[in-house]
Amino acid sequence: MLHPRRPVVAALLAGLLLTAACSSDDADDAAIAADVDETTTTTASLDLLDTASLGPYAVGRRTVTITDPDRDDRTITTDVWYPTDATDGEASTYSFAPGIEYDSDVALDAPAVSTEGPFPMVVYSHGSGGLRYVASYFTETLASHGVVVVAPEHDGNTTINRFLDNSDPPEVIAANRPVDVSVTISALLDGTVDAEVAEAIDAENIGVTGHSFGGYTALAVGGGVAALSIEPDARVDAVIAFAPAAALLADADLAAIGLPTMVISGTLDTTTPIDPNTDRTAEHVVGRPLYRVDLEGATHQSFTDVCAYAELLPQLPDISPEILQLVDEQADNTCDPDVLDVDEAQDLINRYSIAFLLAELTGSAEAQAVLDSEDVPDVVDFTVK
């Protein structure tokens, strides 16, 4: 779990964490839509690859800065998680602001990249008003299975933007996000920001994932957005959309996705509900295989680290009950006992998403066996086309 490094300013932390918890909200998604025309276990069985848990590699993390000259030198702060052969070292620190930070229990601070590559690369796109590391449960675990994971922060649509009340207009955000992803892929492949990481990437095997508005982003990168003159990125080989804001895409945009695709959603999601978002994606995407994973009792924020943040706050001195209550409200019931336990939900998200990415990007038969297993937990509605 998360461990605070030092005393922090509680009020500022609360404000930042509250906005981080809202990685996509109803107001933003509605605005963009208007603008853009058996105890349940986390592995199938003991002899299957355990993609729900950490893999064979230790994990390193670096933060790089990418500049896009074609958009007035737009800056894209990007986290990179990657396999490493290091056995120990300083923990990587997730920092909301100076003095407001915690150490990762998994990622090490910038060790050398493993020599066992090349490794496939997967991009993760955060939700509206989110952070590049808001799904560390996923990005760290994926990297431990032998993947370079890259998460750009979408300036104009981040936690800090929401906190400072200077977010970009919805139509600008919708246009910038897919381009951010493609620019990030280019920068990592050509080594302009980190030559060592670039040398370890298998450029022929690239996936894109994202949550909520990031789910829209992943789908947009896979199929393009005709209304915004955004073309699909031909370098991408597989797409995962977590609780996607697919209502922002036209039927034709979804039908243009000819890549292997997975959609994972929560039945209690009221921000990007399954109907119409997941239903339309599953109906129109033509790429095969097309996996749909509905998690019974999962919420919109089951796909983020919000409950870990909620656990961190009470450890800080002099946090008022009012702030704790507000954090709980912003978490959208995700941490409540009457919904699917967040750890179980995230184990299931990792189980299916990481198996899919390893199967599609590395050809792993063990990973494919996880997807093919008939041993499906009771809380999972799993279908494939």
Side-chain angles (χ1 to χ4, degrees), residues 18-337:
L18 285 173
T19 53
C22 302
S23 65
S24 179
D25 62 21
D26 292 314
D28 278 354
D29 287 345
I32 300 158
D35 284 313
V36 180
D37 281 353
E38 214 177 292
T39 298
T40 302
T41 58
T42 58
T43 53
S45 65
L46 293 178
D47 59 345
L48 289 180
L49 181 64
D50 187 1
T51 49
S53 303
L54 292 173
Y57 292 94
V59 176
R61 173 178 171 259
R62 302 175 185 180
T63 301
V64 300
T65 301
I66 298 167
T67 301
D68 184 4
D70 293 332
R71 291 182 293 167
D72 297 323
D73 289 335
R74 175 177 171 84
T75 297
I76 308 171
T77 304
T78 303
D79 273 3
V80 184
W81 295 265
Y82 54 89
T84 178
D85 301 323
T87 57
D88 56 27
E90 292 292 325
S92 186
T93 300
Y94 293 110
S95 178
F96 297 94
I100 303 175
E101 53 199 17
Y102 63 86
D103 283 347
S104 170
D105 285 342
V106 175
L108 302 175
D109 184 21
V113 182
S114 173
T115 59
E116 296 186 15
F119 303 102
M121 178 169 70
V122 171
V123 182
Y124 173 81
S125 175
H126 65 76
S128 182
L131 298 158
R132 61 192 183 274
Y133 52 80
V134 76
S136 63
Y137 76 91
F138 167 69
T139 54
E140 290 179 343
T141 304
L142 179 57
S144 77
H145 283 274
V147 177
V148 174
V149 186
V150 182
E153 202 154 82
H154 300 291
D155 187 31
N157 191 217
T158 69
T159 293
I160 300 300
N161 295 132
R162 183 167 290 177
F163 182 67
L164 298 176
D165 195 25
N166 64 355
S167 297
D168 286 337
E171 65 274 14
V172 173
I173 296 169
N176 271 330
R177 279 173 155 271
V179 181
D180 285 347
V181 169
S182 291
V183 169
T184 298
I185 292 173
S186 296
L188 267 294
L189 291 183
D190 66 23
T192 57
V193 293
D194 194 315
E196 183 190 10
V197 170
E199 291 179 0
I201 294 173
D202 177 1
E204 299 303 314
N205 289 287
I206 297 175
V208 177
T209 68
H211 170 241
S212 191
F213 209 162
Y216 152 85
T217 306
L219 295 169
V221 171
V225 186
L228 298 176
S229 300
I230 294 173
E231 297 293 327
D233 192 322
R235 298 169 296 183
V236 174
D237 302 291
V239 171
I240 297 180
F242 300 122
L248 313 182
L249 295 162
D251 291 353
D253 295 329
L254 293 170
I257 301 172
L259 303 172
T261 301
M262 174 174 280
V263 187
I264 308 182
S265 308
T267 62
L268 297 185
D269 188 339
T270 58
T271 303
T272 54
I274 284 178
D275 179 12
N277 294 281
T278 301
D279 289 344
R280 288 185 59 249
T281 302
E283 177 183 357
H284 293 293
V285 169
V286 299
R288 296 292 184 269
L290 172 60
Y291 295 96
R292 174 173 174 171
V293 183
D294 293 354
L295 302 180
E296 183 68 35
T299 73
H300 194 68
Q301 298 299 339
S302 298
F303 295 84
T304 73
D305 289 339
V306 64
C307 290
Y309 299 157
E311 184 173 326
L312 174 64
L313 273 176
Q315 301 178 35
L316 304 178
D318 303 322
I319 296 293
S320 72
E322 292 78 14
I323 291 177
L324 295 177
Q325 180 180 353
L326 188 56
V327 170
D328 183 64
E329 291 172 355
Q330 293 293 325
D332 190 30
N333 300 328
T334 300
C335 314
D336 291 352

